[in-house]
């Protein structure tokens, strides 16, 4: 915006700064030199010039503010325009009953009830017509299932990752998340034997698999293998800690070596650690077997108070105490878990249909809703997932 007033101040985005410089410095300097006070110099001509500059600055500020508001409106509406022209197959939608109600898997009955009422108010057939009939039926099914502890626990077992995020659902039979890296959550009280360990459906050690340098990888890395220390055979020689200090650590509760971070060192050093063990208590295992082994080991550690029988006496035939085979315990545990999951799937399938069909029903009902209803009730799902 060009200002035609003579002596107008330059255009600026800082209106406050422009207002401060209304009285030119030359006037103030002239007034100081000649003696007259500032009020005498501000005659009608000067006041008119000051008012003109103030109006120009005010108009410039209003123009800039309006331009910024216009750009913000354009950026906000850009996403809405994109979603309005997308096909129904491209629209992101909730996957589970929890995501349908907008509550976490750990939500209580009152929270589920409140979320159910909010969603039902938004998509009730009396409000959005026939487009909301299917969604209203699904909301009723979700509320009825999640309010009963037995059916809710059975439904939770059919989800891919119990007690974790339920948004990553890819296939009907994907019951376990078997990626070589996982989210690590410290379990300090369980590691110290203060509370009984619970099954988390993930390993208890940290994974550094995706951060291994290319030159440090090998066959075990390609096969997605991990190291496990059998505490029943460990003699606390500390060889593994000396060779791979970033992978192995010392468990003060048991007095044994323990894997704290998978792939903390290169595969060469991890393999040297396995070979350096004098009693062969370090093993390469897969992801599913690893999480089962670490769970049954933590459970046995809690039950025996961190006290293991002497492994050397067992090797010479003078065993004192009961020696357990963690690999056999892990197989029995996985067999039990798979059996419970299958029974849970059968119970949920009998009541509400299989999990994949529920997922498709939720997506179909969600896509039938008007755009305004989806924005109101499910704002987080209006953005496409990467």
């Amino acid at each position: 915006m060009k200002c035609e007033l003579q002596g107008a101040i330059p255009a600026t985005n800082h209106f406050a700064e422009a207002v401060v410089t209304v009285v030119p410095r030359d006037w103030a300097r002239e007034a100081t030199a000649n003696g007259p006070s500032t009020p005498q110099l501000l005659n009608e001509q000067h006041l008119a010039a000051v008012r003109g500059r103030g109006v120009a600055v005010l108009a410039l500020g209003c123009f800039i503010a309006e331009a910024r508001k216009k750009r913000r409106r354009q950026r906000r509406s850009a996403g809405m325009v994109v979603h309005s022209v997308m096909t129904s197959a491209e629209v992101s939608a909730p996957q589970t009953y929890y995501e349908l109600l907008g509550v976490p898997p750990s939500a209580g009955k009152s929270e589920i009830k409140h979320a159910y009422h909010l969603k039902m108010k938004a998509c009730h057939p009396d409000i959005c017509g026939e487009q909301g009939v299917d969604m209203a039926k699904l909301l009723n099914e979700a509320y009825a299932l999640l309010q009963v502890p037995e059916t809710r626990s059975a439904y939770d077992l059919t989800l891919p990752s119990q007690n974790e995020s339920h948004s990553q659902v890819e296939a009907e039979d994907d019951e376990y998340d078997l990626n070589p890296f996982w989210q690590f959550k410290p379990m300090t009280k369980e590691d110290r034997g203060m509370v009984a360990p619970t099954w988390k459906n993930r390993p208890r050690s940290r994974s550094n698999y995706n951060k291994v340098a290319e030159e440090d990888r090998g066959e075990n890395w390609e096969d997605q293998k991990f190291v496990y220390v059998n505490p029943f055979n460990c003699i606390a020689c500390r060889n593994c800690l000396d060779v791979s200090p970033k992978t192995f650590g010392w468990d003060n509760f048991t007095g044994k070596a323990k894997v704290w971070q998978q792939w903390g060192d290169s595969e060469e050093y991890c393999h040297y650690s396995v070979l350096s063990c004098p009693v062969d208590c370090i093993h390469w295992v897969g992801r599913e077997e690893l999480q089962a082994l670490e769970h049954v080991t933590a459970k046995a550690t809690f039950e025996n108070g961190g006290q293991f029988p002497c492994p050397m006496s067992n090797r010479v035939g003078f065993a004192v105490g009961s020696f357990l085979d963690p690999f056999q315990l892990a197989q029995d545990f996985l067999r039990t878990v798979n059996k419970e999951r299958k029974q849970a799937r059968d119970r949920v399938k009998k009541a509400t249909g299989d999990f994949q069909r529920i997922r498709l029903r939720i997506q179909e009902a969600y896509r039938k809703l008007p755009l305004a209803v989806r924005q109101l009730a499910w704002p987080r799902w209006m953005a496409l997932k990467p």
Side-chain angles (χ1 to χ4, degrees), residues 118-226:
L118 291 179
K119 295 295 189 292
M120 187 60 74
K121 288 180 182 178
C123 61
H124 195 275
D126 294 342
I127 298 177
C128 58
E130 296 181 357
Q131 294 175 319
V133 174
D134 294 341
M135 182 57 70
K137 292 180 180 179
L138 280 172
L139 288 173
N140 289 331
E141 293 180 7
Y143 178 72
L145 185 142
L146 297 180
Q147 282 293 310
V148 181
E150 291 76 11
T151 57
R152 180 178 179 179
S153 60
Y155 176 73
D156 289 344
L157 289 175
T158 64
L159 299 179
S161 186
Q162 187 180 0
N163 297 329
E164 294 184 353
S165 175
H166 297 265
S167 59
Q168 303 296 331
V169 182
E170 298 296 337
E172 178 182 2
D173 297 330
D174 187 14
E175 297 178 354
Y176 289 94
D177 178 16
L178 298 179
N179 291 324
F181 47 89
W182 52 87
Q183 183 181 7
F184 174 73
K185 294 182 180 180
M187 293 168 279
T188 306
K189 292 185 177 181
E190 296 184 7
D191 293 337
R192 294 178 180 177
M194 301 173 63
V195 296
T198 56
W199 171 243
K200 303 294 185 181
N201 200 24
R202 66 173 182 270
R204 309 175 74 86
S205 55
R206 188 191 301 267
S207 175
N208 200 44
Y209 179 87
N210 56 335
K211 298 180 181 179
V212 179
E214 186 175 357
E215 61 271 13
D216 295 335
R217 303 173 183 176
E219 295 182 358
N220 289 313
W221 188 91
E222 295 291 342
D223 297 337
Q224 299 184 4
K225 296 294 185 180
F226 306 92

Side-chain angles (χ1 to χ4, degrees), residues 228-235 254 256-257 281 297 301 308-309 311 326:
Y228 164 76
V229 178
N230 182 359
F232 289 93
N233 294 337
C234 179
I235 60 174
T254 61
K256 306 281 186 176
C281 67
T297 301
T301 302
F308 291 92

Side-chain angles (χ1 to χ4, degrees), residues 267-287:
E267 179 169 339
E268 182 180 9
Y269 282 104
C270 291
H271 191 60
Y272 285 164
S273 299
V274 176
L275 297 178
S276 66
C277 180
V279 291
D280 298 330
C281 67
I282 307 177
H283 309 272
W284 288 101
V285 296
R287 158 71 192 270

